[in-house]
Amino acid sequence: MRIGLSRRTRTAVALLTLAALTACGEQSAGSAAAAPPPTTSFTENGVTVTLSVSDWHASKGTLTAVFTPEEKGFHLYSTDLPLTGIEGVGRPTAMDVSGVLTADGKLTAAADVRTITVPGVDAPVPVYPDGPVTTTLPVRADGNGEATVILGYASCSTEQGCTIPVADRPVRLRLTDDGPSFAAAP
Protein backbone atom coordinates (compact mmCIF):
# COMPACT_ATOMS: atom_id res chain seq x y z
CA MET A 1 0.00 0.00 0.00
CA ARG A 2 1.41 3.35 -0.98
CA ILE A 3 0.75 6.42 1.14
CA GLY A 4 1.50 9.79 -0.42
CA LEU A 5 0.46 13.37 -0.28
CA SER A 6 -2.06 14.64 -2.74
CA ARG A 7 -0.93 17.03 -5.42
CA ARG A 8 -2.81 19.83 -3.66
CA THR A 9 -1.08 19.10 -0.32
CA ARG A 10 2.37 18.93 -1.96
CA THR A 11 1.73 22.29 -3.66
CA ALA A 12 0.59 23.84 -0.37
CA VAL A 13 3.71 22.57 1.44
CA ALA A 14 5.97 23.91 -1.32
CA LEU A 15 4.27 27.33 -1.21
CA LEU A 16 4.51 27.49 2.58
CA THR A 17 8.21 26.56 2.46
CA LEU A 18 8.86 29.20 -0.21
CA ALA A 19 6.95 31.81 1.83
CA ALA A 20 8.96 30.97 4.95
CA LEU A 21 12.28 31.25 3.08
CA THR A 22 11.24 34.54 1.48
CA ALA A 23 10.18 35.96 4.86
CA CYS A 24 13.54 35.00 6.36
CA GLY A 25 15.35 36.72 3.49
CA GLU A 26 13.20 39.86 3.84
CA GLN A 27 13.74 39.91 7.59
CA SER A 28 17.52 39.67 7.15
CA ALA A 29 17.56 42.38 4.50
CA GLY A 30 15.27 44.55 6.61
CA SER A 31 17.47 44.04 9.66
CA ALA A 32 20.56 45.16 7.77
CA ALA A 33 18.78 48.22 6.36
CA ALA A 34 17.44 49.14 9.80
CA ALA A 35 20.87 49.21 11.45
CA PRO A 36 21.35 52.59 13.13
CA PRO A 37 24.14 54.87 11.95
CA PRO A 38 27.35 54.92 14.01
CA THR A 39 26.75 57.31 16.93
CA THR A 40 28.60 58.57 20.00
CA SER A 41 28.12 61.40 22.48
CA PHE A 42 29.83 63.28 25.27
CA THR A 43 29.03 66.16 27.61
CA GLU A 44 31.56 68.89 28.32
CA ASN A 45 31.22 72.41 29.72
CA GLY A 46 27.44 72.53 29.73
CA VAL A 47 26.79 71.04 26.28
CA THR A 48 26.00 67.48 25.19
CA VAL A 49 27.34 66.70 21.72
CA THR A 50 25.92 63.74 19.78
CA LEU A 51 27.85 62.69 16.67
CA SER A 52 26.66 60.35 13.94
CA VAL A 53 27.68 59.29 10.45
CA SER A 54 24.88 58.75 7.95
CA ASP A 55 24.38 58.04 4.23
CA TRP A 56 27.72 56.18 4.04
CA HIS A 57 28.23 54.98 0.45
CA ALA A 58 31.39 54.53 -1.61
CA SER A 59 33.61 56.13 1.07
CA LYS A 60 31.40 59.23 1.38
CA GLY A 61 28.84 60.26 3.96
CA THR A 62 27.53 62.96 6.24
CA LEU A 63 28.89 63.70 9.69
CA THR A 64 26.22 65.21 11.94
CA ALA A 65 26.80 66.87 15.32
CA VAL A 66 23.93 67.94 17.54
CA PHE A 67 25.04 70.46 20.17
CA THR A 68 22.54 70.58 23.06
CA PRO A 69 23.02 73.03 25.95
CA GLU A 70 22.21 71.30 29.25
CA GLU A 71 20.30 74.27 30.64
CA LYS A 72 17.39 76.23 29.19
CA GLY A 73 18.13 79.73 27.99
CA PHE A 74 21.59 78.91 26.58
CA HIS A 75 22.58 79.45 22.95
CA LEU A 76 25.55 78.48 20.79
CA TYR A 77 27.52 80.80 18.52
CA SER A 78 27.31 80.79 14.72
CA THR A 79 29.63 78.56 12.69
CA ASP A 80 30.63 81.76 10.85
CA LEU A 81 31.90 83.52 13.99
CA PRO A 82 35.65 84.29 13.79
CA LEU A 83 37.87 81.89 15.78
CA THR A 84 38.55 84.53 18.43
CA GLY A 85 34.95 85.76 18.52
CA ILE A 86 33.71 89.32 18.11
CA GLU A 87 35.96 91.61 20.13
CA GLY A 88 36.94 88.49 22.11
CA VAL A 89 33.32 87.43 22.81
CA GLY A 90 32.15 83.96 21.81
CA ARG A 91 33.67 81.01 19.99
CA PRO A 92 32.31 79.47 16.80
CA THR A 93 30.44 76.18 16.73
CA ALA A 94 32.97 74.15 14.74
CA MET A 95 33.54 70.65 13.35
CA ASP A 96 36.48 69.51 11.24
CA VAL A 97 38.11 66.17 10.44
CA SER A 98 41.64 64.82 10.06
CA GLY A 99 43.34 61.51 9.34
CA VAL A 100 41.86 59.39 6.55
CA LEU A 101 38.68 61.51 6.61
CA THR A 102 38.46 64.85 4.82
CA ALA A 103 35.71 67.45 4.53
CA ASP A 104 33.88 67.24 1.21
CA GLY A 105 32.01 70.52 1.61
CA LYS A 106 31.20 73.24 4.12
CA LEU A 107 29.87 72.86 7.67
CA THR A 108 26.23 73.95 7.78
CA ALA A 109 23.78 74.44 10.61
CA ALA A 110 20.06 73.71 10.59
CA ALA A 111 19.20 76.87 12.53
CA ASP A 112 18.78 80.50 11.61
CA VAL A 113 21.38 82.93 12.84
CA ARG A 114 20.26 85.91 14.88
CA THR A 115 22.39 88.63 16.43
CA ILE A 116 22.59 89.76 20.01
CA THR A 117 24.17 92.77 21.60
CA VAL A 118 26.65 92.20 24.37
CA PRO A 119 27.48 94.96 26.86
CA GLY A 120 30.91 96.40 26.10
CA VAL A 121 30.98 94.98 22.55
CA ASP A 122 30.36 97.41 19.69
CA ALA A 123 29.47 94.86 16.96
CA PRO A 124 26.48 92.50 16.98
CA VAL A 125 27.33 88.88 17.87
CA PRO A 126 25.86 86.09 15.64
CA VAL A 127 24.26 83.24 17.60
CA TYR A 128 21.71 80.49 17.11
CA PRO A 129 18.39 80.50 18.99
CA ASP A 130 18.49 79.02 22.50
CA GLY A 131 18.54 75.22 22.55
CA PRO A 132 20.02 72.48 20.37
CA VAL A 133 21.77 73.13 17.07
CA THR A 134 22.32 70.46 14.41
CA THR A 135 25.34 70.82 12.13
CA THR A 136 26.30 68.67 9.15
CA LEU A 137 29.55 68.18 7.29
CA PRO A 138 29.88 66.12 4.10
CA VAL A 139 32.96 63.89 4.37
CA ARG A 140 34.92 61.37 2.33
CA ALA A 141 37.46 58.74 3.26
CA ASP A 142 40.86 58.42 1.62
CA GLY A 143 41.11 54.74 2.50
CA ASN A 144 40.79 52.73 5.69
CA GLY A 145 42.34 53.78 8.98
CA GLU A 146 42.02 56.27 11.81
CA ALA A 147 40.27 59.63 11.65
CA THR A 148 39.55 62.34 14.17
CA VAL A 149 36.53 64.62 14.39
CA ILE A 150 37.60 67.94 15.92
CA LEU A 151 34.91 69.97 17.68
CA GLY A 152 34.68 73.44 19.18
CA TYR A 153 31.85 75.42 20.76
CA ALA A 154 30.77 77.70 23.59
CA SER A 155 27.35 78.20 25.13
CA CYS A 156 26.06 81.36 26.74
CA SER A 157 22.95 82.76 28.35
CA THR A 158 22.08 86.45 28.25
CA GLU A 159 21.09 86.11 31.92
CA GLN A 160 23.53 83.53 33.36
CA GLY A 161 26.74 84.20 31.43
CA CYS A 162 28.87 81.74 29.49
CA THR A 163 30.36 78.31 29.98
CA ILE A 164 34.07 77.73 29.38
CA PRO A 165 34.63 77.33 25.60
CA VAL A 166 35.64 73.94 24.22
CA ALA A 167 38.32 74.03 21.52
CA ASP A 168 39.84 71.23 19.46
CA ARG A 169 37.91 68.44 21.27
CA PRO A 170 38.90 65.18 19.50
CA VAL A 171 36.57 62.25 18.87
CA ARG A 172 38.16 59.17 17.29
CA LEU A 173 36.63 57.40 14.31
CA ARG A 174 37.80 54.25 12.52
CA LEU A 175 37.10 53.53 8.86
CA THR A 176 37.11 49.98 7.49
CA ASP A 177 35.62 48.21 4.49
CA ASP A 178 32.49 47.80 6.66
CA GLY A 179 32.20 51.58 7.07
CA PRO A 180 32.85 54.06 9.88
CA SER A 181 32.65 53.37 13.63
CA PHE A 182 33.40 55.53 16.65
CA ALA A 183 36.07 54.49 19.12
CA ALA A 184 34.84 53.51 22.55
CA ALA A 185 34.65 56.45 24.94
CA PRO A 186 37.55 56.55 27.42
Side-chain angles (χ1 to χ4, degrees), residues 56-123:
W56 191 258
H57 304 290
S59 298
K60 289 186 176 186
T62 302
L63 187 58
T64 300
V66 180
F67 298 84
T68 305
E70 290 183 294
E71 294 186 42
K72 289 190 183 293
F74 277 75
H75 58 262
L76 291 146
Y77 292 92
S78 168
T79 57
D80 294 326
L81 190 73
L83 286 176
T84 58
I86 302 287
E87 298 178 35
V89 173
R91 293 296 177 264
T93 302
M95 178 168 47
D96 201 1
V97 291
S98 67
V100 297
L101 204 57
T102 57
D104 202 25
K106 186 177 189 269
L107 178 66
T108 59
D112 293 329
V113 174
R114 63 185 180 95
T115 57
I116 60 172
T117 55
V118 176
V121 177
D122 294 331

Short mmCIF file of all heavy atoms in Angstrom, two decimals, residues 56-123:
data_model
loop_
_atom_site.label_atom_id
_atom_site.label_comp_id
_atom_site.label_asym_id
_atom_site.label_seq_id
_atom_site.Cartn_x
_atom_site.Cartn_y
_atom_site.Cartn_z
N TRP A 56 26.38 56.62 4.41
CA TRP A 56 27.72 56.18 4.04
C TRP A 56 27.66 55.27 2.83
O TRP A 56 27.13 54.16 2.89
CB TRP A 56 28.39 55.47 5.22
CG TRP A 56 29.84 55.26 4.97
CD1 TRP A 56 30.44 54.10 4.59
CD2 TRP A 56 30.87 56.23 5.07
NE1 TRP A 56 31.79 54.30 4.44
CE2 TRP A 56 32.08 55.61 4.74
CE3 TRP A 56 30.88 57.59 5.40
CZ2 TRP A 56 33.29 56.28 4.72
CZ3 TRP A 56 32.10 58.26 5.40
CH2 TRP A 56 33.28 57.60 5.06
N HIS A 57 28.19 55.76 1.70
CA HIS A 57 28.23 54.98 0.45
C HIS A 57 29.50 55.34 -0.30
O HIS A 57 29.84 56.52 -0.43
CB HIS A 57 27.02 55.31 -0.45
CG HIS A 57 25.70 55.12 0.22
ND1 HIS A 57 25.20 53.87 0.53
CD2 HIS A 57 24.79 56.01 0.66
CE1 HIS A 57 24.03 54.02 1.11
NE2 HIS A 57 23.76 55.30 1.22
N ALA A 58 30.20 54.34 -0.78
CA ALA A 58 31.39 54.53 -1.61
C ALA A 58 32.37 55.52 -0.97
O ALA A 58 32.84 56.46 -1.61
CB ALA A 58 30.99 55.00 -3.01
N SER A 59 32.65 55.32 0.31
CA SER A 59 33.61 56.13 1.07
C SER A 59 33.20 57.59 1.26
O SER A 59 34.03 58.45 1.52
CB SER A 59 35.00 56.07 0.43
OG SER A 59 35.47 54.75 0.44
N LYS A 60 31.90 57.87 1.13
CA LYS A 60 31.40 59.23 1.38
C LYS A 60 30.19 59.15 2.29
O LYS A 60 29.46 58.16 2.30
CB LYS A 60 30.98 59.91 0.07
CG LYS A 60 32.13 60.28 -0.82
CD LYS A 60 31.63 61.07 -2.01
CE LYS A 60 32.79 61.54 -2.87
NZ LYS A 60 32.33 62.42 -3.94
N GLY A 61 29.99 60.21 3.07
CA GLY A 61 28.84 60.26 3.96
C GLY A 61 28.67 61.64 4.55
O GLY A 61 29.30 62.61 4.13
N THR A 62 27.81 61.70 5.56
CA THR A 62 27.53 62.96 6.24
C THR A 62 27.80 62.79 7.73
O THR A 62 27.27 61.87 8.35
CB THR A 62 26.07 63.39 6.01
OG1 THR A 62 25.84 63.52 4.60
CG2 THR A 62 25.78 64.71 6.71
N LEU A 63 28.61 63.66 8.26
CA LEU A 63 28.89 63.70 9.69
C LEU A 63 27.95 64.73 10.30
O LEU A 63 27.91 65.88 9.85
CB LEU A 63 30.35 64.09 9.90
CG LEU A 63 30.93 64.05 11.29
CD1 LEU A 63 30.80 62.65 11.90
CD2 LEU A 63 32.38 64.47 11.26
N THR A 64 27.19 64.32 11.29
CA THR A 64 26.22 65.21 11.94
C THR A 64 26.61 65.36 13.41
O THR A 64 26.92 64.37 14.08
CB THR A 64 24.80 64.63 11.84
OG1 THR A 64 24.46 64.50 10.46
CG2 THR A 64 23.78 65.54 12.53
N ALA A 65 26.58 66.59 13.90
CA ALA A 65 26.80 66.87 15.32
C ALA A 65 25.63 67.69 15.83
O ALA A 65 25.30 68.72 15.26
CB ALA A 65 28.10 67.62 15.54
N VAL A 66 25.00 67.19 16.89
CA VAL A 66 23.93 67.94 17.54
C VAL A 66 24.49 68.46 18.85
O VAL A 66 24.90 67.68 19.72
CB VAL A 66 22.68 67.06 17.79
CG1 VAL A 66 21.59 67.87 18.48
CG2 VAL A 66 22.18 66.46 16.48
N PHE A 67 24.53 69.78 18.98
CA PHE A 67 25.04 70.46 20.17
C PHE A 67 23.84 70.88 21.01
O PHE A 67 23.04 71.71 20.57
CB PHE A 67 25.84 71.71 19.78
CG PHE A 67 27.07 71.42 18.95
CD1 PHE A 67 26.97 71.27 17.57
CD2 PHE A 67 28.31 71.32 19.54
CE1 PHE A 67 28.10 71.03 16.80
CE2 PHE A 67 29.44 71.07 18.77
CZ PHE A 67 29.34 70.92 17.41
N THR A 68 23.70 70.31 22.21
CA THR A 68 22.54 70.58 23.06
C THR A 68 22.98 71.16 24.40
O THR A 68 23.56 70.45 25.22
CB THR A 68 21.73 69.30 23.30
OG1 THR A 68 21.39 68.72 22.04
CG2 THR A 68 20.45 69.59 24.08
N PRO A 69 22.71 72.46 24.63
CA PRO A 69 23.02 73.03 25.95
C PRO A 69 22.23 72.29 27.03
O PRO A 69 21.06 71.94 26.82
CB PRO A 69 22.56 74.48 25.83
CG PRO A 69 22.56 74.76 24.36
CD PRO A 69 22.18 73.47 23.70
N GLU A 70 22.87 72.05 28.17
CA GLU A 70 22.21 71.30 29.25
C GLU A 70 21.13 72.12 29.95
O GLU A 70 20.20 71.55 30.50
CB GLU A 70 23.26 70.86 30.28
CG GLU A 70 24.19 69.79 29.77
CD GLU A 70 25.15 69.34 30.84
OE1 GLU A 70 25.99 70.14 31.28
OE2 GLU A 70 25.00 68.17 31.26
N GLU A 71 21.28 73.43 29.95
CA GLU A 71 20.30 74.27 30.64
C GLU A 71 19.50 75.11 29.65
O GLU A 71 20.02 75.53 28.62
CB GLU A 71 21.02 75.20 31.62
CG GLU A 71 21.69 74.46 32.77
CD GLU A 71 22.27 75.42 33.80
OE1 GLU A 71 21.59 76.42 34.12
OE2 GLU A 71 23.38 75.16 34.25
N LYS A 72 18.24 75.37 30.02
CA LYS A 72 17.39 76.23 29.19
C LYS A 72 17.95 77.64 29.18
O LYS A 72 18.59 78.07 30.13
CB LYS A 72 15.97 76.24 29.75
CG LYS A 72 15.23 74.93 29.54
CD LYS A 72 13.75 75.09 29.88
CE LYS A 72 13.01 73.79 29.75
NZ LYS A 72 12.92 73.30 28.41
N GLY A 73 17.70 78.34 28.08
CA GLY A 73 18.13 79.73 27.99
C GLY A 73 19.55 79.91 27.49
O GLY A 73 20.05 81.03 27.43
N PHE A 74 20.22 78.81 27.10
CA PHE A 74 21.59 78.91 26.58
C PHE A 74 21.58 78.74 25.06
O PHE A 74 20.81 77.96 24.52
CB PHE A 74 22.49 77.84 27.20
CG PHE A 74 23.03 78.23 28.54
CD1 PHE A 74 22.22 78.20 29.67
CD2 PHE A 74 24.34 78.67 28.68
CE1 PHE A 74 22.70 78.57 30.91
CE2 PHE A 74 24.84 79.04 29.92
CZ PHE A 74 24.03 79.00 31.03
N HIS A 75 22.44 79.51 24.40
CA HIS A 75 22.58 79.45 22.95
C HIS A 75 24.02 79.10 22.59
O HIS A 75 24.92 79.18 23.44
CB HIS A 75 22.21 80.79 22.30
CG HIS A 75 23.02 81.94 22.80
ND1 HIS A 75 22.58 82.79 23.79
CD2 HIS A 75 24.29 82.36 22.49
CE1 HIS A 75 23.50 83.69 24.04
NE2 HIS A 75 24.56 83.44 23.27
N LEU A 76 24.22 78.72 21.35
CA LEU A 76 25.55 78.48 20.79
C LEU A 76 25.84 79.57 19.76
O LEU A 76 24.92 80.19 19.22
CB LEU A 76 25.61 77.11 20.13
CG LEU A 76 25.53 75.96 21.14
CD1 LEU A 76 24.79 74.79 20.58
CD2 LEU A 76 26.92 75.57 21.57
N TYR A 77 27.11 79.78 19.47
CA TYR A 77 27.52 80.80 18.52
C TYR A 77 27.52 80.24 17.10
O TYR A 77 27.70 79.06 16.88
CB TYR A 77 28.91 81.32 18.88
CG TYR A 77 28.90 82.10 20.17
CD1 TYR A 77 29.16 81.47 21.39
CD2 TYR A 77 28.60 83.45 20.18
CE1 TYR A 77 29.13 82.18 22.57
CE2 TYR A 77 28.56 84.17 21.36
CZ TYR A 77 28.82 83.53 22.55
OH TYR A 77 28.77 84.23 23.72
N SER A 78 27.36 81.14 16.14
CA SER A 78 27.31 80.79 14.72
C SER A 78 28.59 80.09 14.27
O SER A 78 29.69 80.38 14.77
CB SER A 78 27.10 82.06 13.90
OG SER A 78 27.32 81.82 12.52
N THR A 79 28.46 79.21 13.29
CA THR A 79 29.63 78.56 12.69
C THR A 79 30.49 79.58 11.94
O THR A 79 31.66 79.33 11.69
CB THR A 79 29.21 77.45 11.71
OG1 THR A 79 28.36 78.01 10.70
CG2 THR A 79 28.48 76.32 12.42
N ASP A 80 29.90 80.73 11.59
CA ASP A 80 30.63 81.76 10.85
C ASP A 80 31.34 82.77 11.75
O ASP A 80 32.00 83.69 11.26
CB ASP A 80 29.68 82.51 9.91
CG ASP A 80 29.15 81.59 8.81
OD1 ASP A 80 29.91 80.70 8.37
OD2 ASP A 80 27.99 81.76 8.40
N LEU A 81 31.22 82.63 13.06
CA LEU A 81 31.90 83.52 13.99
C LEU A 81 33.41 83.36 13.83
O LEU A 81 33.89 82.23 13.68
CB LEU A 81 31.49 83.17 15.43
CG LEU A 81 31.90 84.14 16.53
CD1 LEU A 81 31.05 85.41 16.47
CD2 LEU A 81 31.73 83.48 17.89
N PRO A 82 34.18 84.45 13.86
CA PRO A 82 35.65 84.29 13.79
C PRO A 82 36.16 83.43 14.95
O PRO A 82 35.53 83.37 16.01
CB PRO A 82 36.16 85.74 13.91
CG PRO A 82 35.01 86.59 13.49
CD PRO A 82 33.76 85.84 13.90
N LEU A 83 37.31 82.78 14.76
CA LEU A 83 37.87 81.89 15.78
C LEU A 83 38.04 82.55 17.14
O LEU A 83 37.90 81.90 18.17
CB LEU A 83 39.22 81.33 15.32
CG LEU A 83 39.17 80.27 14.23
CD1 LEU A 83 40.57 79.87 13.79
CD2 LEU A 83 38.39 79.07 14.70
N THR A 84 38.36 83.83 17.16
CA THR A 84 38.55 84.53 18.43
C THR A 84 37.31 85.31 18.85
O THR A 84 37.37 86.11 19.79
CB THR A 84 39.76 85.48 18.35
OG1 THR A 84 39.54 86.40 17.28
CG2 THR A 84 41.05 84.70 18.14
N GLY A 85 36.18 85.10 18.16
CA GLY A 85 34.95 85.76 18.52
C GLY A 85 34.86 87.18 17.97
O GLY A 85 35.64 87.58 17.12
N ILE A 86 33.88 87.91 18.47
CA ILE A 86 33.71 89.32 18.11
C ILE A 86 34.23 90.13 19.29
O ILE A 86 33.68 90.05 20.39
CB ILE A 86 32.22 89.66 17.85
CG1 ILE A 86 31.61 88.79 16.75
CG2 ILE A 86 32.03 91.15 17.58
CD1 ILE A 86 32.06 89.12 15.35
N GLU A 87 35.31 90.85 19.05
CA GLU A 87 35.96 91.61 20.13
C GLU A 87 36.23 90.71 21.34
O GLU A 87 36.07 91.10 22.49
CB GLU A 87 35.11 92.82 20.51
CG GLU A 87 34.95 93.81 19.37
CD GLU A 87 34.07 95.00 19.72
OE1 GLU A 87 34.10 95.47 20.88
OE2 GLU A 87 33.35 95.46 18.82
N GLY A 88 36.60 89.45 21.06
CA GLY A 88 36.94 88.49 22.11
C GLY A 88 35.75 87.75 22.70
O GLY A 88 35.92 86.87 23.54
N VAL A 89 34.53 88.07 22.26
CA VAL A 89 33.32 87.43 22.81
C VAL A 89 32.88 86.29 21.91
O VAL A 89 32.71 86.47 20.70
CB VAL A 89 32.18 88.46 22.97
CG1 VAL A 89 30.88 87.78 23.37
CG2 VAL A 89 32.56 89.52 23.97
N GLY A 90 32.68 85.12 22.52
CA GLY A 90 32.15 83.96 21.81
C GLY A 90 33.21 83.14 21.11
O GLY A 90 34.34 83.59 20.92
N ARG A 91 32.85 81.92 20.77
CA ARG A 91 33.67 81.01 19.99
C ARG A 91 32.75 80.30 19.01
O ARG A 91 31.62 79.93 19.37
CB ARG A 91 34.38 79.98 20.88
CG ARG A 91 35.42 80.58 21.81
CD ARG A 91 36.58 81.21 21.01
NE ARG A 91 37.57 81.85 21.85
CZ ARG A 91 37.60 83.15 22.14
NH1 ARG A 91 36.66 83.96 21.70
NH2 ARG A 91 38.56 83.66 22.87
N PRO A 92 33.20 80.08 17.79
CA PRO A 92 32.31 79.47 16.80
C PRO A 92 31.98 78.01 17.12
O PRO A 92 32.78 77.30 17.73
CB PRO A 92 33.11 79.56 15.49
CG PRO A 92 34.54 79.59 15.92
CD PRO A 92 34.54 80.32 17.25
N THR A 93 30.80 77.60 16.72
CA THR A 93 30.44 76.18 16.73
C THR A 93 31.19 75.59 15.53
O THR A 93 31.01 76.05 14.40
CB THR A 93 28.92 76.01 16.59
OG1 THR A 93 28.30 76.69 17.68
CG2 THR A 93 28.53 74.54 16.60
N ALA A 94 32.06 74.62 15.78
CA ALA A 94 32.97 74.15 14.74
C ALA A 94 33.07 72.63 14.73
O ALA A 94 32.98 71.98 15.78
CB ALA A 94 34.35 74.75 14.94
N MET A 95 33.27 72.08 13.52
CA MET A 95 33.54 70.65 13.35
C MET A 95 34.46 70.52 12.14
O MET A 95 34.18 71.06 11.07
CB MET A 95 32.24 69.87 13.13
CG MET A 95 32.46 68.40 12.89
SD MET A 95 30.97 67.35 12.95
CE MET A 95 29.78 68.21 11.97
N ASP A 96 35.54 69.78 12.32
CA ASP A 96 36.48 69.51 11.24
C ASP A 96 36.93 68.07 11.38
O ASP A 96 36.61 67.42 12.38
CB ASP A 96 37.67 70.47 11.30
CG ASP A 96 38.39 70.60 9.97
OD1 ASP A 96 37.97 69.97 8.98
OD2 ASP A 96 39.38 71.33 9.91
N VAL A 97 37.64 67.56 10.41
CA VAL A 97 38.11 66.17 10.44
C VAL A 97 39.57 66.12 10.03
O VAL A 97 40.07 67.01 9.33
CB VAL A 97 37.26 65.26 9.52
CG1 VAL A 97 35.86 65.08 10.09
CG2 VAL A 97 37.18 65.81 8.11
N SER A 98 40.25 65.05 10.46
CA SER A 98 41.64 64.82 10.06
C SER A 98 41.86 63.32 9.95
O SER A 98 40.96 62.52 10.27
CB SER A 98 42.60 65.44 11.08
OG SER A 98 42.51 64.77 12.31
N GLY A 99 43.05 62.93 9.54
CA GLY A 99 43.34 61.51 9.34
C GLY A 99 42.87 61.10 7.96
O GLY A 99 43.01 61.86 7.00
N VAL A 100 42.30 59.89 7.85
CA VAL A 100 41.86 59.39 6.55
C VAL A 100 40.53 60.00 6.10
O VAL A 100 40.05 59.71 5.02
CB VAL A 100 41.75 57.84 6.53
CG1 VAL A 100 43.10 57.20 6.77
CG2 VAL A 100 40.71 57.35 7.50
N LEU A 101 39.96 60.86 6.93
CA LEU A 101 38.68 61.51 6.61
C LEU A 101 38.94 62.97 6.28
O LEU A 101 39.68 63.65 6.99
CB LEU A 101 37.75 61.39 7.81
CG LEU A 101 36.26 61.47 7.58
CD1 LEU A 101 35.79 60.39 6.60
CD2 LEU A 101 35.53 61.30 8.91
N THR A 102 38.34 63.45 5.19
CA THR A 102 38.46 64.85 4.82
C THR A 102 37.08 65.44 4.58
O THR A 102 36.14 64.72 4.21
CB THR A 102 39.32 65.04 3.55
OG1 THR A 102 38.74 64.28 2.48
CG2 THR A 102 40.75 64.60 3.77
N ALA A 103 36.98 66.76 4.79
CA ALA A 103 35.71 67.45 4.53
C ALA A 103 35.49 67.47 3.02
O ALA A 103 36.41 67.65 2.24
CB ALA A 103 35.77 68.86 5.09
N ASP A 104 34.25 67.25 2.62
CA ASP A 104 33.88 67.24 1.21
C ASP A 104 32.87 68.35 0.93
O ASP A 104 32.01 68.23 0.07
CB ASP A 104 33.30 65.86 0.85
CG ASP A 104 33.37 65.55 -0.63
OD1 ASP A 104 34.24 66.12 -1.32
OD2 ASP A 104 32.54 64.74 -1.10
N GLY A 105 32.94 69.40 1.71
CA GLY A 105 32.01 70.52 1.61
C GLY A 105 32.13 71.37 2.86
O GLY A 105 33.04 71.20 3.67
N LYS A 106 31.17 72.28 3.03
CA LYS A 106 31.20 73.24 4.12
C LYS A 106 30.31 72.79 5.27
O LYS A 106 29.26 72.18 5.05
CB LYS A 106 30.71 74.59 3.59
CG LYS A 106 30.80 75.74 4.56
CD LYS A 106 30.35 77.04 3.90
CE LYS A 106 30.65 78.22 4.77
NZ LYS A 106 29.67 78.63 5.68
N LEU A 107 30.70 73.11 6.49
CA LEU A 107 29.87 72.86 7.67
C LEU A 107 28.64 73.76 7.60
O LEU A 107 28.77 74.97 7.39
CB LEU A 107 30.67 73.14 8.94
CG LEU A 107 29.92 72.97 10.26
CD1 LEU A 107 29.55 71.51 10.49
CD2 LEU A 107 30.77 73.49 11.42
N THR A 108 27.47 73.16 7.78
CA THR A 108 26.23 73.95 7.78
C THR A 108 25.45 73.65 9.05
O THR A 108 25.60 72.59 9.66
CB THR A 108 25.35 73.63 6.56
OG1 THR A 108 25.02 72.24 6.56
CG2 THR A 108 26.05 73.99 5.25
N ALA A 109 24.62 74.60 9.43
CA ALA A 109 23.78 74.44 10.61
C ALA A 109 22.32 74.54 10.21
O ALA A 109 21.96 75.32 9.33
CB ALA A 109 24.11 75.52 11.64
N ALA A 110 21.50 73.73 10.88
CA ALA A 110 20.06 73.71 10.59
C ALA A 110 19.32 74.65 11.55
O ALA A 110 18.35 74.27 12.18
CB ALA A 110 19.53 72.29 10.71
N ALA A 111 19.83 75.86 11.67
CA ALA A 111 19.20 76.87 12.53
C ALA A 111 19.50 78.23 11.93
O ALA A 111 20.55 78.44 11.32
CB ALA A 111 19.74 76.78 13.95
N ASP A 112 18.57 79.14 12.11
CA ASP A 112 18.78 80.50 11.61
C ASP A 112 19.66 81.28 12.59
O ASP A 112 19.54 81.14 13.80
CB ASP A 112 17.44 81.22 11.46
CG ASP A 112 16.59 80.61 10.35
OD1 ASP A 112 17.17 80.10 9.37
OD2 ASP A 112 15.35 80.66 10.47
N VAL A 113 20.52 82.09 12.02
CA VAL A 113 21.38 82.93 12.84
C VAL A 113 20.63 84.21 13.20
O VAL A 113 19.92 84.78 12.38
CB VAL A 113 22.68 83.29 12.07
CG1 VAL A 113 23.54 84.28 12.86
CG2 VAL A 113 23.48 82.03 11.78
N ARG A 114 20.78 84.61 14.45
CA ARG A 114 20.26 85.91 14.88
C ARG A 114 21.43 86.63 15.54
O ARG A 114 22.47 86.01 15.81
CB ARG A 114 19.09 85.75 15.83
CG ARG A 114 19.42 85.04 17.13
CD ARG A 114 18.18 84.80 17.98
NE ARG A 114 18.51 84.14 19.21
CZ ARG A 114 18.72 84.76 20.37
NH1 ARG A 114 18.65 86.06 20.45
NH2 ARG A 114 19.02 84.08 21.46
N THR A 115 21.30 87.91 15.77
CA THR A 115 22.39 88.63 16.43
C THR A 115 21.91 89.14 17.78
O THR A 115 20.73 89.41 17.98
CB THR A 115 22.89 89.81 15.57
OG1 THR A 115 21.81 90.69 15.30
CG2 THR A 115 23.50 89.32 14.28
N ILE A 116 22.87 89.20 18.70
CA ILE A 116 22.59 89.76 20.01
C ILE A 116 23.58 90.88 20.27
O ILE A 116 24.64 90.95 19.64
CB ILE A 116 22.68 88.69 21.13
CG1 ILE A 116 24.09 88.05 21.19
CG2 ILE A 116 21.61 87.62 20.94
CD1 ILE A 116 24.31 87.14 22.39
N THR A 117 23.23 91.75 21.18
CA THR A 117 24.17 92.77 21.60
C THR A 117 24.70 92.37 22.97
O THR A 117 23.96 91.88 23.82
CB THR A 117 23.51 94.16 21.66
OG1 THR A 117 22.37 94.09 22.52
CG2 THR A 117 23.07 94.62 20.28
N VAL A 118 25.98 92.55 23.13
CA VAL A 118 26.65 92.20 24.37
C VAL A 118 27.22 93.48 24.96
O VAL A 118 27.90 94.24 24.26
CB VAL A 118 27.77 91.16 24.11
CG1 VAL A 118 28.53 90.85 25.38
CG2 VAL A 118 27.19 89.90 23.51
N PRO A 119 26.93 93.75 26.25
CA PRO A 119 27.48 94.96 26.86
C PRO A 119 28.99 95.04 26.70
O PRO A 119 29.70 94.06 26.91
CB PRO A 119 27.08 94.83 28.34
CG PRO A 119 25.90 93.89 28.34
CD PRO A 119 26.13 92.96 27.19
N GLY A 120 29.48 96.20 26.27
CA GLY A 120 30.91 96.40 26.10
C GLY A 120 31.44 95.98 24.74
O GLY A 120 32.62 96.13 24.47
N VAL A 121 30.57 95.41 23.88
CA VAL A 121 30.98 94.98 22.55
C VAL A 121 30.22 95.83 21.53
O VAL A 121 28.99 95.91 21.56
CB VAL A 121 30.67 93.47 22.32
CG1 VAL A 121 31.04 93.05 20.91
CG2 VAL A 121 31.41 92.62 23.34
N ASP A 122 30.97 96.48 20.64
CA ASP A 122 30.36 97.41 19.69
C ASP A 122 29.59 96.70 18.57
O ASP A 122 28.55 97.17 18.14
CB ASP A 122 31.42 98.32 19.07
CG ASP A 122 32.03 99.26 20.10
OD1 ASP A 122 31.34 99.62 21.07
OD2 ASP A 122 33.21 99.62 19.93
N ALA A 123 30.09 95.56 18.10
CA ALA A 123 29.47 94.86 16.96
C ALA A 123 28.45 93.83 17.45
O ALA A 123 28.58 93.28 18.54
CB ALA A 123 30.56 94.17 16.14
#
